Amino acid sequence: MVDRLGGRLAGQSVPVRLSRRAALAAVVLGGCGGRSVRAQTPGPATAVPVGRRPVELRQPKVLTSANGLLDVTLTGRPGVVDVGAPRPVTTYTYDNVLPGHTWEVSPGDTLRIDLVNDLPPLPHADPVDLTRPHAWTTTNLHTHGLHVSPAGNADNVFLSIEPGETQWYEIAIPDDHPGGLFWYHPHRHGGVCQQVRAGMAGAIIVRGEIDEVPEVCAAKEQVVVLQAIELGDDYQLLDPIPNPSKQEAFFPRTQILYTVNGVLNPKITMYPGEVQRWRILNAAEGKFMALRLAGHDLHVLAWDGLTLHAPDVVDEVLLSAGNRVELLVKAGTPGSYDLVLRPGSSQHPVAPGMAHGPATPTGAPVPSSELLVRPILTIEVVGSGPEMALPTALPAWDPPILPIARRRQVAYTVERDDDDEFIDFGIDGVPFDPARPPYRIKLGTAEEWTVTNAPDTKLLEHAHVFHIHVNPFKVTKINGETLDTPLWRDTFVLTGNTGDSTTFESNFDDFTGRFVQHCHVLSHEDLGMMEALEVVP
Ligand SMILES: [Cu+2]
């Protein structure tokens, strides 16, 4: 069974349940700003009958700014990476690792990046259809969530860096930038989905006030990059198919590996009463990820790098593709606990928290094994140490909204022919074309937008994910109902019930220039669901 929009459905990605063992007892010695030191004491080495032992979650290498500058070379290139699967994965990477290195900066810093495109050249294709995958080894760079300039050689997604070329970026981070978790990934229209599903993504940490909260800075910090690496039977990235037959998909795959910092099913060791700070990024191309930690509450500090007024204590979080959540976990009694992932897709947005209206029937085929609920990380609670505290108040990021200058209705649309066959995705029925005049916004004003999931005549539960560059937004209403607590985000689900809407307010402040808003189900974006915007003086 094949579904052209969502990929081949006969997936073989049944997770291997890994055996466990008592291993390293970790003692956290603390330290503000996430610069914690950890001493390790070897535990008993027990025999493991089958399978690979869970390895302790490793952190991506951290590149930290010095004297106001972070200067990095970032190379997009084919790579062969051991993620703990039966065979190494052959895919596209940044610097031959999954995920890319973590960049750590402070407000006021400058990010200088030499982006080297060492991906293979493709045969010349002419003419190019902008609503189909194309030039998927041409690249560029987006710093998702950063409030920075979209112009010139800053966060400019209209740049095209061909295979063999290098582009120099210089991105100035404002002095008043919020501290939080952001990320980088390619954003060249036509090849975004291919490069992100390959694994090209990395975390960006901006330090800030949140790092000075005593209970937060005492907690060991873990960056947790969740990826959904899409592969064929031989653990290799498959090329997109611009004009698939009815038996083919635009983005073929036969399995998805849900990796955590580039590894399948690692573990985190904590002691009872220990508090850790997990900074979680959903870097999947399009998968929704609902996460639950057995036996433990999740104390949410921030969404999309934007700190809440107080920790939000929940038992599950739902991350759309592109979302980040930062939370504290306080380890309970000794034992093993699974972090359980419930994946959803745009066609099967089954993850909890998504349905805000009445359920509607779906015309989509049954979900494949790639959407099975599965553990993706194990927490081993062992040993002992000082009881750690949880904060009660946080330095919220909640700026006032400027007077609303304009209200706008926006629809995320799917165009089909008379036989219900897919034509393209669009915004208000119009697929992306960089040559079209952008929607213009005056600098220093605020707007209120209502984004609606327009009816898809074939897939009635077809969800999308709204994302806008440069400026985050404040969600005030869902389906016309005012929220008691508005939600600051840069990425927000547009739920799968036909006609669902999200209303938000946003300041268009500080930066002029051209950028985009689009669906963060990146296959939808490459197939047209994107619009150019321009903030003008
Ligand atoms: Cu979409």
Side-chain angles (χ1 to χ4, degrees):
M1 193 84 196
V2 166
D3 156 33
R4 296 166 73 221
L5 294 181
R8 191 173 152 194
L9 295 172
Q12 283 104 48
S13 63
V14 178
V16 179
R17 197 70 189 88
L18 300 173
S19 58
R20 300 192 182 101
R21 63 169 187 156
L24 303 178
V27 181
V28 174
L29 302 177
C32 282
R35 291 164 186 82
S36 57
V37 182
R38 195 165 58 106
Q40 292 189 328
T41 346
T46 52
V48 178
V50 288
R52 286 171 70 130
R53 295 191 297 260
V55 294
E56 195 75 27
L57 180 72
R58 64 178 177 83
Q59 289 296 288
K61 182 178 171 185
V62 183
L63 308 175
T64 308
S65 65
N67 302 315
L69 179 68
L70 179 59
D71 199 342
V72 302
T73 299
L74 179 69
T75 304
R77 50 162 288 187
V80 179
V81 182
D82 180 5
V83 301
R87 266 185 278 170
V89 162
T90 303
T91 188
Y92 295 163
T93 67
Y94 281 131
D95 301 311
N96 204 27
V97 290
L98 292 176
H101 305 317
T102 298
W103 301 346
E104 183 174 323
V105 295
S106 295
D109 284 352
T110 297
L111 248 175
R112 283 186 56 154
I113 303 135
D114 274 316
L115 175 65
V116 181
N117 186 356
D118 273 349
L119 296 173
L122 296 179
H124 185 71
D126 206 27
V128 165
D129 183 344
L130 290 175
T131 68
R132 293 295 180 267
H134 62 277
W136 53 83
T137 59
T138 301
T139 196
N140 64 18
L141 184 70
H142 173 45
T143 50
H144 182 128
L146 289 190
H147 179 58
V148 295
S149 169
N153 65 339
D155 184 21
N156 181 350
V157 297
F158 294 94
L159 297 175
S160 277
I161 295 89
E162 306 286 336
E165 291 183 350
T166 295
Q167 170 70 45
W168 164 57
Y169 286 86
E170 186 162 310
I171 300 171
I173 298 162
D175 291 332
D176 59 352
H177 198 285
L181 178 64
F182 305 90
W183 65 299
Y184 61 91
H185 65 80
H187 211 299
R188 203 280 186 179
H189 178 66
V192 186
C193 175
Q194 179 69 356
Q195 291 173 30
V196 172
R197 78 187 190 128
M200 292 172 68
I204 303 174
I205 289 174
V206 180
R207 291 294 165 197
E209 268 186 277
I210 181 68
D211 300 290
E212 305 306 322
V213 174
E215 296 87 350
V216 175
C217 81
K220 179 182 177 180
E221 181 172 309
Q222 305 263 19
V223 168
V224 181
V225 179
L226 305 180
Q227 291 179 290
I229 311 294
E230 302 187 1
L231 301 166
D233 289 342
D234 294 329
Y235 293 85
Q236 84 285 30
L237 178 68
L238 301 174
D239 276 346
I241 303 174
N243 294 295
S245 69
K246 285 196 176 182
Q247 283 69 46
E248 294 173 323
F250 288 113
F251 299 96
R253 60 176 183 267
T254 60
Q255 56 178 333
I256 295 184
L257 302 182
Y258 290 96
T259 56
V260 184
N261 290 352
V263 173
L264 290 169
N265 293 62
K267 66 170 185 171
I268 287 177
T269 306
M270 299 176 73
Y271 67 79
E274 180 186 352
V275 173
Q276 287 198 0
R277 176 187 187 184
W278 295 357
R279 315 187 76 174
I280 304 172
L281 157 64
N282 179 352
E285 168 275 318
K287 289 285 176 288
F288 296 93
M289 296 189 181
L291 299 170
R292 187 183 279 267
L293 177 59
H296 291 77
D297 287 333
L298 306 172
H299 302 256
V300 176
L301 304 176
W303 281 97
D304 292 350
L306 308 169
T307 302
L308 309 179
H309 285 273
D312 186 19
V313 184
V314 296
D315 58 9
E316 189 162 54
V317 288
L318 169 64
L319 289 87
S320 301
N323 273 141
R324 289 85 66 211
V325 68
E326 301 174 66
L327 48 83
L328 297 176
V329 169
K330 182 165 186 171
T333 53
S336 281
Y337 303 90
D338 285 333
L339 181 68
V340 176
L341 167 69
R342 184 142 93 111
S345 71
S346 65
Q347 296 189 15
H348 296 282
V350 292
M354 292 190 57
H356 295 287
T360 45
T362 176
V366 291
S368 66
S369 61
E370 66 188 43
L371 297 184
L372 290 176
V373 175
R374 71 199 70 209
I376 55 166
L377 178 75
T378 304
I379 314 306
E380 297 278 0
V381 180
V382 295
S384 61
E387 176 86 9
M388 294 178 70
L390 293 160
T392 53
L394 301 170
W397 192 83
D398 189 10
I401 296 288
L402 299 167
I404 302 288
R406 186 162 53 170
R407 290 185 165 76
R408 183 187 187 203
Q409 300 281 333
V410 185
Y412 273 34
T413 48
V414 186
E415 196 179 356
R416 295 186 182 277
D417 66 16
D418 292 341
D419 296 325
D420 260 354
E421 283 302 309
F422 174 80
I423 299 174
D424 55 41
F425 287 108
I427 306 292
D428 292 334
V430 180
F432 177 69
D433 181 348
R436 186 171 290 111
Y439 175 85
R440 289 203 166 81
I441 303 156
K442 188 161 170 48
L443 180 69
T445 67
E447 297 198 2
E448 182 195 78
W449 292 12
T450 296
V451 188
T452 301
N453 186 352
D456 177 347
T457 51
K458 187 175 181 186
L459 303 173
L460 298 180
E461 289 184 345
H462 209 160
H464 302 288
V465 178
F466 177 86
H467 171 54
I468 187 167
H469 293 202
V470 183
N471 298 283
F473 51 87
K474 182 180 180 178
V475 178
T476 55
K477 297 176 192 174
I478 292 175
N479 294 341
E481 295 209 9
T482 301
L483 302 179
D484 292 337
T485 307
L487 310 169
W488 276 104
R489 298 286 191 277
D490 62 41
T491 303
F492 197 72
V493 60
L494 196 54
T495 47
N497 298 306
T498 295
D500 277 0
S501 71
T502 296
T503 302
F504 64 79
E505 301 166 348
S506 181
N507 294 330
F508 294 92
D509 224 354
D510 298 324
F511 301 108
T512 56
R514 205 159 56 114
F515 54 97
V516 290
Q517 62 101 346
H518 63 91
C519 183
H520 219 288
V521 177
L522 296 173
S523 56
H524 295 189
E525 188 276 288
D526 278 332
L527 300 174
M529 197 169 261
M530 180 156 77
E531 175 191 57
L533 313 167
E534 185 176 14
V535 173
V536 295

